[in-house]
């Protein structure tokens, strides 16, 4: 909030079910909520459009139930696993897939590190050593909200990026402009 950053949170079904108040807060504070599938499967193994669509539509229904509006059409494949068929399926459903290049209405993230193991978190020093030198113009940074390290370093990380001349954009607006 202090830095005026609007995040995009890609949520799974369980998060919508267990944290509806936090989902509301995310939206009220101007953040975007994207679709990370209902049950977090390996989507590269899902070949038929109906099963693929069901994973996304269950989250869309939970979003509508909580927020009373339609979910933004941003999708991030669980575990970063996808197939070319998945990219086509997401596009057919009106989604932009957020991952690593502009193919099939796709925006890929460009910077991530292993921050998702809640019982094996990197130290702040390890996080900074991964995140600071790899930032670049136009970077889409993937940070997991379950990371206590990210929560601890976020203010300092954003400050350091700002001090080197970076500013922060809105992923949903960026995708819409592509």
């Amino acid at each position: 909030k202090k830095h005026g950053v609007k995040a995009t949170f890609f949520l799974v079904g369980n998060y919508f079910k267990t944290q509806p108040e936090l989902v509301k807060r995310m939206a009220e504070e101007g953040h975007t909520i994207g679709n990370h599938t209902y049950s977090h499967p390996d989507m590269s193994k899902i070949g038929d459009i109906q099963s693929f669509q069901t994973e996304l539509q269950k989250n869309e229904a939970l979003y509508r139930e909580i927020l009373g509006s339609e979910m933004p059409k941003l999708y991030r494949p669980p575990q970063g696993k996808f197939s070319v068929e998945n990219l086509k399926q997401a596009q057919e459903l009106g989604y932009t897939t957020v991952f690593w290049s502009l193919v099939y209405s796709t925006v890929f993230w460009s910077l991530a590190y292993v921050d998702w193991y809640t019982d094996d978190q990197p130290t702040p020093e390890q996080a900074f050593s991964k995140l600071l030198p790899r930032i670049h113009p136009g970077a889409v940074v993937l940070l997991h909200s379950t990371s206590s390290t990210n929560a601890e370093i976020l203010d300092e990380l954003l400050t350091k990026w700002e001090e080197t001349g970076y500013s922060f954009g809105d992923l949903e607006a960026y995708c819409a402009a592509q």
Side-chain angles (χ1 to χ4, degrees):
K1 194 178 222 179
K2 170 182 163 184
H3 297 271
V5 175
K6 299 300 178 197
T8 301
F9 293 94
F10 289 93
L11 304 181
V12 294
N14 185 55
Y15 200 92
F16 285 106
K17 289 180 171 184
T18 62
Q19 301 294 327
E21 293 306 313
L22 192 50
V23 171
K24 286 179 193 173
R25 180 177 160 203
M26 289 171 180
E28 287 166 1
E29 291 183 5
H31 302 292
T32 300
I33 299 168
N35 204 327
H36 196 42
T37 72
Y38 179 77
S39 63
H40 205 264
D42 177 348
M43 295 296 277
S44 69
K45 295 186 175 175
I46 296 179
D48 68 287
I49 188 69
Q50 186 57 48
S51 298
F52 185 91
Q53 187 172 19
T54 297
E55 277 293 328
L56 300 179
Q57 286 180 335
K58 284 182 172 182
N59 267 6
E60 291 171 359
L62 291 168
Y63 182 98
R64 254 189 321 277
E65 182 181 313
I66 294 167
L67 297 170
S69 60
E70 293 302 313
M71 184 176 217
K73 293 290 191 170
L74 297 175
Y75 158 66
R76 188 168 77 79
Q79 309 162 51
K81 294 180 180 177
F82 67 96
S83 66
V84 171
E85 187 61 31
N86 291 158
L87 298 176
K88 291 177 185 176
Q89 292 166 334
Q91 187 176 33
E92 288 171 15
L93 297 172
Y95 275 88
T96 296
T97 302
V98 177
F99 196 73
W100 223 301
S101 171
L102 293 173
V103 180
Y104 299 110
S105 294
T106 305
V107 176
F108 294 152
W109 69 74
S110 48
L111 174 55
Y113 78 114
V114 180
D115 64 347
W116 56 85
Y117 295 118
T118 56
D119 58 348
D120 187 19
Q121 284 289 286
T123 66
E125 294 76 22
Q126 290 169 325
F128 284 129
S129 73
K130 295 286 187 187
L131 296 169
L132 292 175
R134 295 169 56 204
I135 196 69
H136 57 83
V140 175
V141 181
L142 170 61
L143 299 174
H144 287 83
S145 62
T146 55
S147 168
S148 59
T149 301
N150 290 342
E152 181 182 342
I153 69 164
L154 192 57
D155 178 48
E156 185 177 355
L157 178 65
L158 296 176
T159 298
K160 287 177 184 283
W161 281 340
E162 288 171 328
E163 288 171 352
T164 58
Y166 288 100
S167 59
F168 309 102
D170 178 313
L171 183 61
E172 185 176 18
Y174 175 78
C175 291
Q178 297 304 310

